[in-house]
Amino acid sequence: MTQTQFLLQPLSAAILLATPFAFAYAEDDIQTKKMAPIVVTAQETKRANGLIVEADPKQPIQPVPATDGADYLQSIMGFNAIKNGATNGDVTFRGMFGSRIKILTDGSENLGACPSRMDAPTSYINPESFDQITVIKGPQTVQYATPGSAATVMFERKPEQLTKDKPYRGQASVLMGSYGRLDHNVEAAIGDETKYARINANRSTSNNYQDGNGDTVHSNWERWNADLALGWKPTQDSWIELKGGKGDGEAAYAGRTMDGTQFQRESLGLHAEQKNLTDVIKKVEAQVDYSYNDHVMDNYKMRTPPMMPMAMEVTRRTLNTRAAITTEWNDFSVISGVDRQENKHAGNMYMRDAAVIPALVRDLQYQTYGVFSEWTYKFDPNNKLVAGARVDQVKVDNAKNDQTRKDTNPSGFIRIENSFPEHGLKTYAGIGYVERSPDYWELYRVSNNQLNYLNTEKTTQLDLGFEFEHGAWNTWASAYAGLIHDFILVPYQAMPNGTVKVKPARNVDATIAGAEAGLGYKFTDHLQADLSAMYAWGENTTDHNPLPQIAPLEGRLNIRYVQEKYSLGLLWRTVAQQNRISLNEGNIVGYDMSKSKGFSTLAINATYQYSDSLDFSVGIDNLLDKTYAEHLNKSGAALFGYAANEQFNNIGRNYWARVSMKF
């Protein structure tokens, strides 16, 4: 899913240019002419007017990322990630971070446990074990608790569709790469029209990588996940699924003073739905999901121990429930429902040689109740109005000092979508509002130990875009502009010993704007190219400073040659320098420490389809072995010889090969 990025300059060009069209054409060619599978380098393959993006996480991607959700999302225009090392980065979208992005797995939320987001929500997601990734840009849905003001991201698995004639299906892949990279992924299902069992299992491991200078970066990892689902379909319109999963791992972090030495995950869920109850009631659905995260970080197991070797264990238990009903009357459809989330957090800290490990102490507990309704009215087959509203009641309790916080948060949106088939044009324009309570990290780390220290964050945002196709051309753009009242800003302070510490957060007002855009052209039935770009801008209007931790303008150029059995691809990514910074300000994970330099990287790939069920992919990332660091990158830990404001570099030249089989 990584796309090539070619440096475009003004924002106006980014808005006017348009889409990785080649993927729409490539997808059609593969379906109608059965051409070879491709290595995905741009994930704008399926769009709804540019607003909704769907990605296929089972396809091979370039550059080959770590097996976590954040690195995978970076292949979709608009996303970046604050890096810790080689894995478990913390995703950003359009310069927004944290709970401004709603991350869901099968409609449920797993938040992670580390107060510093060492185990961000995407750390527990193995993308290839899901069937589809859907991104809804901006505050343009209210179907899930505390809607994402920047985006809503859904990792989804679909119910099995097995038959007595084909009572099984499965697929497996193995990926090998430089620096000891080795991934195994297996998915298998067995059953018939009324019942099934499905298992997803994966393991990934890698050694420390080297940057373009040949310097070793502390970045090794190992992780595994296993999930089992049992499904029952008593009728054609009924479905019940019971599922459970476990996982664990460890990850070395060049950008932190500790490593993650345990990422234990346990999950259990029950989902059910009934369709076509009446001519009006089209679907009733309900789900309950439980997750438990037990995360350990320390500074001695995966690195040379300092004089004071210590560890910290943190846990979070989360219970999500949701029920919704979908109704239709002629051209009017409504989905309405209620949801609830309760999560409890606890932790401790101890020295390596402690005789007794202290018990976990509970700190914050969240309870959220929400009610929502989302409506769609079709004026005619090509024009519709979509709108929604919800209210969330949020309660936070601090077990350490008996403080309580209560918020009532409204949110809503209205959007018009138009299609002009005779002209090959689709458009949308919508405005949304989201009110967000400070999340766990903002309350626990940067609120002066006072639950009511920070105001709720209020975002009003305009989203608009288009998709246009004519002949061999395809173009798209998604633009946005927003006002954020009481934006939660996290300051940092440089200390005399060269370290930087986080200070209490504060509320400011802000303005944001930007766009993602692309342009594609099909030279022949076999040769295709696309050019895409993204740009985000933000201003702290209270202090008249730029908003911090916003990635610079970047572009991606992808050229691909596709034949019946094989494909060849080239990916060129170019990133501009970032001069708009707010020194020593940022978010929970990162802060602006200096301006950043621009860079570009080149990658190549090839695939060969041996049969309908077996294909091979190979690639070389960072072909020219460039030495570079992303703007959104933590500074390297002093233990590894980094200065206080010196960032660690990305991986150098990286070879990889992948074998995929379906049965």
Side-chain angles (χ1 to χ4, degrees):
M1 324 248 131
T2 336
Q3 305 143 281
T4 9
Q5 315 164 352
F6 174 71
L7 179 56
L8 302 179
Q9 293 170 21
L11 173 60
S12 57
I15 296 176
L16 293 175
L17 282 181
T19 193
F21 111 110
F23 286 106
Y25 278 104
E27 188 175 79
D28 290 342
D29 288 345
I30 292 170
Q31 292 174 351
T32 59
K33 299 183 180 181
K34 294 185 178 179
M35 286 189 171
I38 60 171
V39 174
V40 180
T41 52
Q43 199 48 64
E44 303 282 4
T45 53
K46 297 180 181 179
R47 297 174 303 279
N49 307 342
L51 175 70
I52 300 172
V53 179
E54 295 179 355
D56 180 359
K58 297 187 185 300
Q59 289 184 260
I61 63 176
Q62 188 175 39
V64 57
T67 52
D68 73 293
D71 270 349
Y72 202 96
L73 288 172
Q74 287 181 90
S75 63
I76 299 175
M77 296 303 290
F79 284 95
N80 296 94
I82 304 171
K83 294 184 176 295
N84 299 303
T87 188
N88 292 352
D90 214 340
V91 71
T92 72
F93 183 70
R94 295 174 165 177
M96 298 293 101
F97 169 83
S99 58
R100 301 179 185 103
I101 308 169
K102 194 74 172 180
I103 305 288
L104 301 167
T105 55
D106 291 326
S108 181
E109 190 173 34
N110 182 356
L111 294 169
C114 178
S116 300
R117 293 180 67 97
M118 184 181 286
D119 67 330
T122 48
S123 302
Y124 295 97
I125 296 174
N126 178 68
E128 195 170 337
S129 68
F130 292 87
D131 298 321
Q132 180 175 290
I133 301 172
T134 302
V135 177
I136 303 174
K137 300 180 179 181
Q140 291 294 311
T141 183
V142 294
Q143 294 186 34
Y144 303 96
T146 310
S149 59
T152 300
V153 182
M154 294 173 284
F155 292 80
E156 300 169 296
R157 296 186 182 97
K158 300 175 182 178
E160 295 297 324
Q161 301 293 329
L162 301 172
T163 66
K164 290 182 179 179
D165 295 332
K166 183 65 184 295
Y168 65 89
R169 72 155 193 92
Q171 59 187 68
S173 68
V174 177
L175 182 145
M176 298 171 288
S178 302
Y179 312 111
R181 175 73 181 270
L182 181 62
D183 290 5
H184 301 89
N185 281 278
V186 176
E187 178 176 296
I190 186 171
D192 55 28
E193 290 87 349
T194 62
K195 57 187 178 298
Y196 63 84
R198 180 184 65 240
I199 187 169
N200 295 88
N202 58 81
R203 178 181 179 272
S204 177
T205 184
S206 179
N207 301 326
N208 295 332
Y209 70 74
Q210 291 183 347
D211 65 15
N213 291 326
D215 296 328
T216 299
V217 177
H218 185 65
S219 56
N220 64 90
W221 81 79
E222 181 176 359
R223 67 198 320 148
W224 65 268
N225 288 278
D227 293 271
L228 175 67
L230 303 175
W232 181 41
K233 295 188 281 186
T235 70
Q236 187 175 3
D237 293 326
S238 305
W239 171 68
I240 301 173
E241 184 176 274
L242 176 66
K243 58 183 180 178
K246 292 180 69 70
D248 200 357
E250 61 181 20
Y253 292 149
R256 292 183 181 267
T257 57
M258 288 184 169
D259 300 309
T261 54
Q262 179 176 290
F263 292 83
Q264 283 190 6
R265 170 189 68 91
E266 297 177 2
S267 62
L268 185 65
L270 180 64
H271 293 203
E273 68 177 38
Q274 175 68 51
K275 297 180 179 178
N276 300 319
L277 281 170
T278 70
D279 291 340
V280 173
I281 303 175
K282 295 300 183 180
K283 184 168 69 172
V284 176
E285 56 188 307
Q287 66 183 79
V288 56
D289 295 275
Y290 167 80
S291 64
Y292 174 65
N293 301 109
D294 188 349
H295 171 56
V296 176
M297 62 202 94
D298 66 52
N299 60 2
Y300 55 85
K301 288 182 181 177
M302 301 180 72
R303 61 179 69 190
T304 302
M307 294 183 62
M308 296 181 63
M310 63 180 61
M312 183 177 186
E313 181 179 8
V314 286
T315 65
R316 190 193 295 268
R317 300 179 187 272
T318 305
L319 182 66
N320 293 277
T321 55
R322 181 178 185 271
I325 181 172
T326 302
T327 55
E328 292 183 6
W329 300 274
N330 297 322
D331 297 322
F332 187 62
S333 63
V334 180
I335 178 170
S336 302
V338 295
D339 49 41
R340 177 181 182 272
Q341 182 185 103
E342 180 176 351
N343 69 80
K344 301 177 181 179
H345 189 277
N348 65 19
M349 182 171 284
Y350 54 91
M351 303 302 294
R352 179 181 61 177
D353 300 323
V356 177
I357 296 178
L360 295 167
V361 177
R362 183 174 298 173
D363 41 58
L364 298 190
Q365 175 176 325
Y366 272 74
Q367 288 183 324
T368 303
Y369 300 87
V371 57
F372 66 89
S373 186
E374 191 165 304
W375 323 291
T376 301
Y377 180 73
K378 293 183 178 180
F379 299 103
D380 55 55
N382 297 320
N383 300 280
K384 64 181 178 180
L385 179 72
V386 186
R390 74 171 288 135
V391 176
D392 288 293
Q393 182 70 47
V394 181
K395 180 184 178 184
V396 189
D397 294 302
N398 190 334
K400 291 186 175 181
N401 57 19
D402 294 326
Q403 291 185 40
T404 297
R405 176 185 180 123
K406 293 183 179 180
D407 295 319
T408 299
N409 298 334
S411 57
F413 74 94
I414 185 169
R415 179 176 74 249
I416 185 107
E417 298 183 18
N418 305 106
S419 179
F420 306 92
E422 66 277 13
H423 301 297
L425 176 66
K426 297 178 181 179
T427 65
Y428 74 90
I431 188 166
Y433 174 84
V434 172
E435 193 163 331
R436 180 183 74 90
S437 294
D439 59 32
Y440 166 79
W441 301 274
E442 291 160 339
L443 289 181
Y444 184 82
R445 288 198 68 207
V446 291
S447 290
N448 263 341
N449 296 316
Q450 300 294 319
L451 289 187
N452 295 286
Y453 172 73
L454 292 169
N455 298 329
T456 58
E457 188 176 275
K458 309 160 190 71
T459 300
T460 303
Q461 182 168 306
L462 171 68
D463 283 273
L464 51 90
F466 72 90
E467 180 180 353
F468 176 70
E469 184 175 347
H470 179 72
W473 293 93
N474 180 290
T475 181
W476 64 272
S478 299
Y480 65 96
L483 299 174
I484 307 178
H485 184 58
D486 288 326
F487 179 88
I488 298 175
L489 184 69
V490 181
Y492 287 74
Q493 180 179 358
M495 304 301 291
N497 62 0
T499 63
V500 177
K501 75 171 185 177
V502 63
K503 296 176 63 179
R506 60 193 179 96
N507 292 111
V508 299
D509 291 339
T511 301
I512 58 174
E516 304 87 45
L519 174 69
Y521 185 72
K522 185 177 182 180
F523 296 96
T524 70
D525 288 343
H526 302 288
L527 183 62
Q528 306 143 23
D530 63 75
L531 175 67
S532 51
M534 59 184 181
Y535 179 76
W537 176 91
E539 181 78 8
N540 171 355
T541 55
T542 298
D543 303 326
H544 304 291
N545 289 328
L547 281 184
Q549 289 292 275
I550 294 181
L553 169 68
E554 72 173 69
R556 306 177 183 183
L557 173 65
N558 181 50
I559 301 174
R560 185 173 59 256
Y561 183 79
V562 184
Q563 281 282 4
E564 183 179 356
K565 286 288 186 180
Y566 68 88
S567 67
L568 303 172
L570 178 146
L571 168 65
W572 183 19
R573 175 181 180 232
T574 303
V575 179
Q577 60 185 1
Q578 180 57 287
N579 294 319
R580 296 192 79 254
I581 68 168
S582 183
L583 190 63
N584 292 335
E585 289 188 324
N587 50 49
I588 294 296
V589 171
Y591 64 95
D592 285 358
M593 59 190 76
S594 64
K595 298 179 180 179
S596 62
K597 299 178 180 179
F599 63 86
S600 65
T601 62
L602 188 66
I604 57 174
N605 64 73
T607 65
Y608 175 70
Q609 186 174 27
Y610 178 78
S611 67
D612 289 342
S613 59
L614 182 64
D615 57 75
F616 304 87
S617 305
V618 296
I620 306 175
D621 301 338
N622 194 359
L623 179 67
L624 304 180
D625 205 18
K626 291 286 190 71
T627 303
Y628 70 98
E630 304 279 355
H631 177 71
L632 298 184
N633 222 42
K634 293 182 70 66
S635 60
L639 172 67
F640 306 117
Y642 295 97
N645 63 346
E646 182 183 0
Q647 296 177 316
F648 61 88
N649 291 322
N650 280 35
I651 192 169
R653 185 182 295 116
N654 180 28
Y655 302 88
W656 57 268
R658 182 180 186 266
V659 181
S660 178
M661 178 181 67
K662 295 181 180 179
F663 54 90

